[in-house]
Amino acid sequence: MNAQFKKGVLELCVLSYLARRDAYGYELAEKISSRIEIAEGTLYPLLRKLKNDGLCETYLSDQSGGPPRKYYRLTEMGREAGKKLRHEWENFAHNVALFMEDGDDE
Protein backbone atom coordinates (compact mmCIF):
# COMPACT_ATOMS: atom_id res chain seq x y z
CA MET A 1 0.00 0.00 0.00
CA ASN A 2 1.13 3.52 -0.73
CA ALA A 3 3.09 4.94 2.24
CA GLN A 4 1.34 8.32 1.97
CA PHE A 5 -2.07 6.65 2.30
CA LYS A 6 -0.95 4.90 5.48
CA LYS A 7 0.67 7.97 6.98
CA GLY A 8 -2.49 9.98 6.55
CA VAL A 9 -4.82 7.41 8.06
CA LEU A 10 -2.74 6.10 10.97
CA GLU A 11 -3.91 8.81 13.38
CA LEU A 12 -7.53 7.99 12.53
CA CYS A 13 -6.89 4.29 13.19
CA VAL A 14 -5.32 5.00 16.58
CA LEU A 15 -8.07 7.40 17.66
CA SER A 16 -10.76 4.96 16.48
CA TYR A 17 -9.26 2.06 18.41
CA LEU A 18 -8.72 4.09 21.57
CA ALA A 19 -12.34 5.30 21.36
CA ARG A 20 -13.36 1.66 21.88
CA ARG A 21 -10.87 0.73 24.58
CA ASP A 22 -7.64 1.72 26.31
CA ALA A 23 -4.58 -0.02 24.88
CA TYR A 24 -0.83 -0.28 25.27
CA GLY A 25 1.49 0.53 22.40
CA TYR A 26 2.33 -3.00 21.29
CA GLU A 27 -1.36 -3.96 21.31
CA LEU A 28 -2.17 -0.97 19.09
CA ALA A 29 0.65 -1.87 16.72
CA GLU A 30 -0.56 -5.47 16.49
CA LYS A 31 -4.19 -4.52 15.86
CA ILE A 32 -3.37 -1.93 13.22
CA SER A 33 -0.74 -4.06 11.48
CA SER A 34 -3.24 -6.94 11.23
CA ARG A 35 -5.05 -4.78 8.64
CA ILE A 36 -2.48 -2.22 7.47
CA GLU A 37 1.22 -2.91 7.12
CA ILE A 38 3.08 -0.35 9.26
CA ALA A 39 6.73 0.00 10.18
CA GLU A 40 7.52 -0.95 13.76
CA GLY A 41 8.72 2.50 14.81
CA THR A 42 5.87 4.44 13.18
CA LEU A 43 3.33 4.24 15.96
CA TYR A 44 5.25 5.48 19.01
CA PRO A 45 6.06 8.96 17.67
CA LEU A 46 2.38 9.35 16.80
CA LEU A 47 1.32 8.28 20.32
CA ARG A 48 3.78 10.79 21.78
CA LYS A 49 2.33 13.53 19.54
CA LEU A 50 -1.25 12.65 20.52
CA LYS A 51 -0.29 12.81 24.18
CA ASN A 52 1.55 16.13 23.75
CA ASP A 53 -1.48 17.53 21.91
CA GLY A 54 -3.76 16.53 24.80
CA LEU A 55 -5.71 13.96 22.78
CA CYS A 56 -4.70 11.01 24.94
CA GLU A 57 -3.15 10.35 28.31
CA THR A 58 -1.17 7.45 29.73
CA TYR A 59 -1.28 5.34 32.86
CA LEU A 60 0.59 2.27 34.07
CA SER A 61 -1.16 -1.03 34.69
CA ASP A 62 0.20 -4.40 35.76
CA GLN A 63 -2.99 -6.37 35.03
CA SER A 64 -1.07 -8.80 32.84
CA GLY A 65 0.84 -10.21 35.80
CA GLY A 66 4.11 -9.09 34.21
CA PRO A 67 5.84 -5.74 34.38
CA PRO A 68 3.56 -2.67 34.26
CA ARG A 69 2.50 -1.57 30.80
CA LYS A 70 1.90 1.99 29.67
CA TYR A 71 -1.70 2.25 28.51
CA TYR A 72 -3.14 5.01 26.38
CA ARG A 73 -6.65 6.38 26.76
CA LEU A 74 -8.43 9.16 24.96
CA THR A 75 -9.22 12.44 26.64
CA GLU A 76 -12.54 14.14 25.88
CA MET A 77 -10.65 16.35 23.43
CA GLY A 78 -9.29 13.17 21.80
CA ARG A 79 -12.78 11.73 21.44
CA GLU A 80 -13.98 14.90 19.73
CA ALA A 81 -10.92 15.01 17.47
CA GLY A 82 -11.49 11.36 16.52
CA LYS A 83 -15.13 12.01 15.62
CA LYS A 84 -14.16 15.01 13.51
CA LEU A 85 -11.35 13.14 11.76
CA ARG A 86 -13.63 10.17 11.06
CA HIS A 87 -16.25 12.47 9.53
CA GLU A 88 -13.58 14.14 7.37
CA TRP A 89 -12.25 10.73 6.29
CA GLU A 90 -15.71 9.43 5.35
CA ASN A 91 -16.41 12.54 3.28
CA PHE A 92 -13.01 12.33 1.61
CA ALA A 93 -13.28 8.60 0.82
CA HIS A 94 -16.82 9.07 -0.52
CA ASN A 95 -15.77 11.92 -2.81
CA VAL A 96 -12.72 10.04 -4.08
CA ALA A 97 -14.94 7.03 -4.87
CA LEU A 98 -17.40 9.27 -6.71
CA PHE A 99 -14.58 10.88 -8.68
CA MET A 100 -13.14 7.51 -9.70
CA GLU A 101 -16.56 6.22 -10.78
CA ASP A 102 -17.50 9.35 -12.70
CA GLY A 103 -17.05 8.66 -16.39
CA ASP A 104 -17.89 12.22 -17.37
CA ASP A 105 -14.73 14.19 -18.22
CA GLU A 106 -16.49 17.55 -18.49
Side-chain angles (χ1 to χ4, degrees):
M1 177 183 269
N2 183 303
Q4 291 301 315
F5 290 168
K6 289 188 279 189
K7 183 179 180 183
V9 78
L10 187 57
E11 183 173 340
L12 175 60
C13 291
V14 169
L15 292 173
S16 294
Y17 191 80
L18 291 177
R20 295 189 301 273
R21 60 179 288 180
D22 297 356
Y24 56 97
Y26 183 76
E27 175 185 1
L28 275 166
E30 286 291 303
K31 292 293 183 180
I32 293 170
S33 66
S34 72
R35 303 276 180 139
I36 302 169
E37 186 180 327
I38 59 171
E40 193 171 308
T42 306
L43 186 62
Y44 291 98
L46 175 60
L47 288 169
R48 194 168 33 258
K49 177 191 175 303
L50 293 175
K51 184 178 180 206
N52 290 341
D53 291 347
L55 302 182
C56 71
E57 56 191 14
T58 60
Y59 63 92
L60 292 177
S61 177
D62 58 0
Q63 295 176 8
S64 66
R69 291 180 172 156
K70 183 193 290 187
Y71 278 78
Y72 295 84
R73 74 173 149 230
L74 289 185
T75 61
E76 191 55 40
M77 191 165 65
R79 289 189 186 287
E80 291 304 315
K83 288 176 189 176
K84 182 178 183 228
L85 196 55
R86 182 180 183 132
H87 178 72
E88 289 173 3
W89 170 259
E90 288 170 349
N91 262 347
F92 176 75
H94 175 74
N95 285 322
V96 168
L98 287 176
F99 181 81
M100 291 187 313
E101 293 171 6
D102 189 2
D104 186 12
D105 291 334
E106 293 179 39

